[in-house]
Each structure stands twice: as structure tokens, then as C-alpha cells.
Amino acid sequence: MAEAGSFADRVKQQADIVRVIGEYVRLKKSGQNFTGLCPFHGEKTPSFAVHPVKQIFHCFGCGKGGDVFSFVMDMEKCPFPEAVKVVAEKCGIPVPRPKERTPEERKENQQRAALIEIHREAQAFFVRQLESTAEGRAARAYLEDRGLNAETIARFGIGYAPSGGDALLRQLKPKYAEKLLVESGVISRDQSGARLFDRFRRRITFPIANESGKIVAFGCRALGDDLPKYLNSPETPIYSKSNLLYHMDRAKEPIRRQDFAILVEGYMDAIAVARAGIGNVVASCGTSLAEPQIKLLGRFTKRVIVNYDPDVAGQAATERSLTLLLEHDFEVRVLALPAIGDKKADPDLFIREKGAEAYIKLLKEAPPYVDYLIARARQMDLSTGEGKQRALNFLMPYVQRIPNALLRSEWASRIAQQLRIDEPVLRAALNKSATERRSEVKVAPQLVGKPAKQIERRLIRMLAEAEGFKRELAQRLQHGRLYEGLETEKVFAALIVAGLSDEPIPATEIGAQLEERERRVFFEILFEDAQEPTWEEAESCLDALRRRQLEQELAKVQKTIEANPSGAGLRELLERKQELMKQLAAAG
Ligand SMILES: [Zn+2]
């Protein structure tokens, strides 16, 4: 949220939301608003609206809405500070250079810069070792055997960490503090804490770069039979495994251009695929994909072909990644490479044996994830009812994640056919679990709460906009607790707090405090065509709420009386009932 007086706040005040959104969506003036086709969901008739005065947008179809920054964040898939910059640039507002605010920040930045410098030096060292030492020659022979020629070795910065144990340490020690060297992860400290040594020894080194191409870690493969076969950098201030995708620095442009990415498991796979001329490949460098990695990928495309190893671990990783990708609205296909002889093929082996063309052909034919899953389910024993149930239990969680109801239904038919399951039975199971998980599902239009009643809508509009009397109105609502129990109670609560505050609070900030469902109701009300409110109308709405409150209490008293007609306190209850009826009559 834009903090008052901050740069973001200034940009927000100066930016024209219609102009900014107009660069992405063709907008047409319609009454007070501008409307157009929503860029966030496919549609043929416009349900996307921009309000020039309130500086908000809202889609009546998919429910997306917010201010100019949230629009840009969603369109550009970028974080808030980036969105502020984008908007500022579009509106010709000069962007100040980022300043380190505190001494801690400065220290952190210096540390990060030093860690990156250590990695740069280590990288140069490893490359030199591979090129010009006897040990390095053996490593090169191994790489050539794996089909990696000098050009590829240079292109991917592959190097070699020698066996000595302190060769890199001797190189770095004169320049950097011990603590920093250990923090970088390329140097380790033994258990006694007394001795430092090279973390990577007798290993082929693969530099791992962050999104902007700076080397922040190494992935290393043992040259001989040393264990572990793969040893990577530990988590450090500049490297977190779950935040990074191998090869992303070079793949982002091809991914954006082709609007899809190929996801493989390890760096050898990514290198093999990239060498084959397919640049839009990234590796998760771990057995399964983490959420930050998916978000990173999602900034460049929403379409991915998963090509993990065909072994059991790879299958499990594929299925775990599928779940996450589907939750983030990715369109997912799965490429399961056929075995070569009796060997299961990962992308590296497959391309080496069958060539790039064959790989590209399979890539093009990669089936949607549901086909892949059905094929997996069909490998289960389907001869018994229990077996079928197991297969169904395996499939169901994925099918439920298909956001589109029509598509979901189509898949249900296919699954029924392929697994020979009675279709109505399957549909019933699907519907049942659909209701059970409703609470965790993203808000789809059909799940949105009932539209608020007219009185609530009018009062909400007045609380948001009636400058003349919104404070008075907020006081009356709060004092009589008239909004409690309403469907829109939370919207009221937020607006009353805003109405009673001395500072004007813009609608977007109130919206940001609300849950998604309430935010939608609130924005829809703000976009309604409505006449100027009057205090008279406000009073009649308040009266209606007051009546509603009395009626509800009366019903409660009546119920208590009926539940226990001779009980204690009956007289008080009857008196209260009389009183309530009198008040109701007076309220008309
Ligand atoms: Zn929409």
C-alpha cells in the first residue's frame, strides 16, 4: 500500500489510471466509467470497468480489481516496487534512485556484493582449473564423453574444483575475512571450527546464476564415485534454492517470446535441452518445484511442459509440481520420454541418443497433464472395485483443480471411459469433493456471496462517498450497532472506521483491508450508477436497519418463550416482547 508522502503515494496521486490501463486495454467511455474487455479472463462482451475519479478498476466477470498499481502488478507479473516504477515511467514522473535507508541495509548490501565477488572469483578459478591442469584434463575427458564440447563448456561456464582441499581457499584467503568465506558456501569449516577447506573437491562445477545473470551458487557433480554424486552450495544470503530456477537468466527472453517454458530436473538436462537449440528451458534443481519458483516462472509465462526424469522419484516430483502449477493457474503439459533400450531416459540421455529433432517432436506432442495422469492411473490394477477407487482417488485432486467447470466435466467423461467407471458415480464423487473443498478454492464467480440487499448497497455507497454526512452516518451505524449480522458486515466495519477517522481514506485502501469476497462486493457497489444520496434517504435506510434489528430480537425472545413457556424470567421476557412490539409499531 502506498504510504502517505512516499514516492508510491506521489505516483498514485499523479497517475491517471485510465491512461495507464488504456495502454493495455482498449477502453471506451460509458457513463462515468470506462469499460473494455477484461485482460485477466477471456470474454467477448466487456465487463471490465475503470473509474477515473475513484482511480480504481474492477471486473464484474472474474472479480479482479484494485488500483493502478495492482493492475500493473497483475499485468506485468511484478512486485509492488516494480509496479510503482512502471507507472511512474508511463506517466513521466522521474524515479528517484534507491537509497539505502539504514546502516544495516548498507551493511547487507556490502555483504551481498562481497559474496557475489567471491563467486565471480571462484568461477574464474574453476574454469582455469578445467582448462589448464592435469586433473582438469581428466574432467574435460569426462565431459566430452557426455557429449559436451569446448563450446558448450564455455557457454555454460563449466569448471572443475580440484582435489587438493584448499586450492581455492589459498586463492581467496588473502582478500576476504574467514567469516565471509564460510558464509559464501564455497568454503567450509571443519567440525572443530579451527580449519577451513574447499567445499567442492574433485568435482565438475556448474555455476548457478540468479535471474539477472550473477553467479550466486554452484552445483557440483563428483568426477569419480565420490558421494554424494551431486553437491550444491548451501543456502546463503544470496542464494535460496527455492527462489531460483537454473538457466532462468538466459531463458527468460525465449520464454516470454514463445509463451511457454520447459521444466526439467537438473542442470545437465537444462544444458542438454538448451544446446539442442531450445532456449526456453529451466531446471528446478531439486526434486520438486517450490512455490517461489512457480511465481518466478509465472512472471514470464503461464504455460509449461514438465519433463522430469521418468523414475519413481521423478514421477512423484512431477505430480507434486503439477498440483502447485495447477493451483497457480498454469496450463500444464507433461512430457514423459520413452525408455531407450532398457534405460529410462532423462532429457540429457534422450537427446544424446536420439537427437534434438526427436526431442522437439515429442515436445510438440506432449499431452495435457490430465492425459498423462490418466495414463498413470491406467497402470494401476483396475480389475477390482478397490483398484478403481484407488485410481480415482489418485486422479480426483487434480481434476478438481481445473478451474473451468466445462473442461472439468469433459475430463470427468474421459476418465469414466478410460477407467471404465460408471459416469454418474464419478460425477457424484467429483461434486461431493468439490463442495468439501469449497473453502480452499479460489473465488470463482459462482462462489461469490449473495449480492447485497439494496439498503446495504445504498448505505455503503453513502459511507464511501457522501462527504457531507458520512461521518454522522458512521456514528449512527456504530452507535446502534445497526450493521451487525448483515451479509456486508465487514464492509461496513471497515467503512465506519474510515468514516470516523480524521484523514480521508481512499477506496482502494479500504478495499485492500477486506477479504477478496468483500472487496468484490464493495467495488461493485462503487461502480453502480446511482443518484446523489441525501440525508433523508440515509435516515430511511437507518430506520429499515433498526426495524430489522427489532424484528430479529423479537423473534429471538419469542423463541425463548416458546422453548420454555413456564420457565424462570418469563415475565421479563413477555415484557420485553411487548416493548419490542411497541417500538416496532412506532418505527412504522
Ligand atoms: Zn475479468
Side-chain angles (χ1 to χ4, degrees):
M1 200 175 304
E3 182 187 317
S6 68
F7 178 62
D9 192 41
R10 261 199 1 254
V11 173
K12 192 166 169 174
Q13 275 168 14
Q14 292 177 39
D16 174 4
I17 191 170
V18 176
R19 213 183 101 195
V20 174
I21 294 185
E23 287 191 20
Y24 301 87
V25 181
R26 187 187 294 183
L27 293 172
K28 258 179 62 189
K29 183 115 174 80
S30 146
Q32 284 190 36
N33 307 328
F34 288 81
T35 58
L37 295 176
C38 176
F40 302 111
H41 82 279
E43 61 174 6
K44 294 214 172 67
T45 51
S47 47
F48 178 85
V50 182
H51 202 297
V53 181
K54 296 179 189 116
Q55 292 282 307
I56 55 176
F57 75 93
H58 181 73
C59 172
F60 290 82
C62 67
K64 272 231 189 304
D67 63 6
V68 66
F69 297 139
S70 46
F71 179 85
V72 171
M73 282 161 77
D74 271 330
M75 273 322 272
E76 300 283 344
K77 311 283 178 215
C78 65
F80 180 77
E82 193 59 39
V84 175
K85 244 190 265 171
V86 170
V87 174
E89 274 158 16
K90 284 190 194 303
C91 300
I93 304 165
V95 181
R97 279 192 29 189
K99 264 197 274 181
E100 294 144 349
R101 288 192 188 170
T102 62
E104 288 84 53
E105 267 177 0
R106 189 167 330 126
K107 221 178 119 200
E108 248 170 55
N109 284 348
Q110 279 168 353
Q111 187 206 29
R112 293 170 65 90
L115 290 175
I116 285 180
E117 189 53 28
I118 289 174
H119 278 82
R120 205 186 53 78
E121 283 198 40
Q123 169 65 8
F125 172 81
F126 292 146
V127 167
R128 264 199 320 275
Q129 295 294 313
L130 186 74
E131 278 169 1
S132 56
T133 64
E135 257 190 83
R137 204 170 310 133
R140 262 199 330 268
Y142 165 84
L143 288 169
E144 269 157 34
D145 193 44
R146 296 277 302 236
L148 300 179
N149 57 17
E151 190 250 317
T152 308
I153 290 173
R155 176 170 159 200
F156 293 95
I158 300 169
Y160 178 70
S163 52
D166 64 352
L168 178 61
L169 176 66
R170 272 184 280 131
Q171 180 97 17
L172 297 174
K173 213 173 161 183
K175 296 189 216 163
Y176 301 97
E178 282 193 1
K179 188 164 168 275
L180 197 64
L181 287 175
V182 173
E183 240 159 25
S184 79
V186 297
I187 302 297
S188 300
R189 196 189 285 281
D190 73 0
Q191 281 181 340
S192 73
R195 200 177 65 86
L196 299 187
F197 57 93
D198 293 357
R199 179 183 177 86
F200 305 117
R201 299 175 304 280
R202 207 156 91 96
R203 283 172 183 275
I204 311 264
T205 61
F206 298 85
I208 299 175
N210 64 15
E211 203 193 316
S212 41
K214 294 263 193 301
I215 296 169
V216 292
F218 292 97
C220 299
R221 191 196 187 284
L223 188 57
D225 294 327
D226 295 357
L227 289 174
K229 194 163 150 194
Y230 291 98
L231 180 67
N232 293 349
S233 290
E235 302 269 312
T236 69
I238 56 169
Y239 172 61
S240 163
K241 203 171 81 182
S242 56
N243 275 321
L244 191 142
L245 290 163
Y246 178 73
H247 198 242
M248 193 57 171
D249 55 324
R250 294 178 187 180
K252 60 187 178 188
E253 273 322 304
I255 290 175
R256 222 198 288 266
R257 217 170 33 244
Q258 298 177 53
D259 193 17
F260 82 95
I262 300 148
L263 181 68
V264 296
E265 239 177 271
Y267 28 79
M268 281 302 279
D269 295 321
I271 290 173
V273 175
R275 277 186 69 214
I278 306 162
N280 53 334
V281 60
V282 291
S284 52
C285 282
T287 45
S288 86
L289 210 53
E291 190 144 350
Q293 290 175 315
I294 291 180
K295 287 193 175 147
L296 171 63
L297 190 58
R299 281 169 41 205
F300 303 98
T301 187
K302 282 289 193 181
R303 302 197 303 162
V304 60
I305 299 180
V306 180
N307 182 194
Y308 277 1
D309 293 356
D311 56 13
V312 177
Q315 270 175 359
T318 302
E319 280 145 29
R320 265 197 310 276
S321 305
L322 275 181
T323 315
L324 268 179
L325 285 164
L326 295 176
E327 273 169 8
H328 287 81
D329 288 330
F330 273 79
E331 183 190 314
V332 189
R333 293 194 285 151
V334 180
L335 173 54
L337 295 169
I340 295 175
D342 56 357
K343 267 196 273 182
K344 296 186 167 173
D346 56 29
D348 179 29
L349 178 69
F350 187 89
I351 292 171
R352 261 188 292 143
E353 298 278 327
K354 299 279 173 181
E357 301 257 296
Y359 183 76
I360 294 172
K361 183 167 178 286
L362 288 178
L363 205 56
K364 284 192 181 137
E365 293 165 357
Y369 75 98
V370 182
D371 280 321
Y372 163 81
L373 291 168
I374 291 178
R376 288 266 295 128
R378 287 188 64 173
Q379 289 163 4
M380 300 177 185
D381 171 22
L382 297 176
S383 60
T384 66
E386 278 159 31
K388 280 184 182 176
Q389 187 60 50
R390 254 200 309 280
L392 206 55
N393 288 346
F394 166 76
L395 286 173
M396 219 39 107
Y398 300 103
V399 181
Q400 284 160 6
R401 284 190 169 82
I402 305 173
N404 183 314
L406 213 69
L407 213 62
R408 205 164 49 232
S409 155
E410 209 178 292
W411 284 115
S413 304
R414 290 197 45 190
I415 290 169
Q417 262 170 26
Q418 299 256 333
L419 302 189
R420 294 175 210 281
I421 293 169
D422 201 20
E423 200 171 319
V425 173
L426 185 132
R427 279 182 191 285
L430 194 61
N431 289 339
K432 182 166 166 284
S433 38
T435 17
E436 277 164 5
R437 72 180 187 120
R438 184 156 296 184
S439 56
E440 62 190 71
V441 176
K442 254 207 229 139
V443 188
Q446 63 267 31
L447 298 182
V448 170
K450 274 179 266 165
K453 299 206 176 60
Q454 184 55 23
I455 288 173
E456 297 171 45
R457 303 181 85 89
R458 281 304 283 163
L459 281 169
I460 286 171
R461 185 74 181 247
M462 292 184 220
L463 274 173
E465 287 173 14
E467 296 304 331
F469 59 80
K470 68 182 190 187
R471 195 185 176 88
E472 164 93 27
L473 185 58
Q475 279 165 350
R476 291 273 289 270
L477 281 160
Q478 192 188 40
H479 187 249
R481 297 160 67 180
L482 292 175
Y483 63 99
E484 286 181 1
L486 293 176
E487 193 103 25
T488 49
E489 178 176 342
K490 286 185 180 140
V491 181
F492 271 98
L495 280 166
I496 287 168
V497 172
L500 295 176
S501 104
D502 292 324
E503 299 272 308
I505 298 178
T508 43
E509 276 182 35
I510 296 167
Q513 294 163 17
L514 296 169
E515 301 266 330
E516 180 55 21
R517 208 172 95 157
E518 268 93 33
R519 207 267 310 146
R520 290 183 63 159
V521 174
F522 177 46
F523 273 25
E524 282 179 18
I525 293 170
L526 289 184
F527 270 101
E528 277 170 3
D529 277 330
Q531 79 238 44
E532 276 291 295
T534 62
W535 177 245
E536 246 183 328
E537 190 196 356
E539 276 193 311
S540 87
C541 289
L542 287 172
D543 286 345
L545 287 187
R546 176 89 191 121
R547 269 200 304 282
R548 169 188 157 275
Q549 202 181 41
L550 290 168
E551 277 162 8
Q552 279 182 346
E553 198 191 339
L554 183 62
K556 220 168 97 193
V557 170
Q558 185 63 33
K559 234 169 121 186
T560 320
I561 295 171
E562 280 164 16
N564 191 3
S566 56
L570 182 63
R571 178 127 71 101
E572 286 81 359
L573 283 169
L574 287 170
E575 273 169 17
R576 181 75 190 137
K577 182 179 164 184
Q578 286 302 319
E579 174 60 28
L580 286 168
M581 284 170 72
K582 225 190 286 170
Q583 282 184 20
L584 259 173

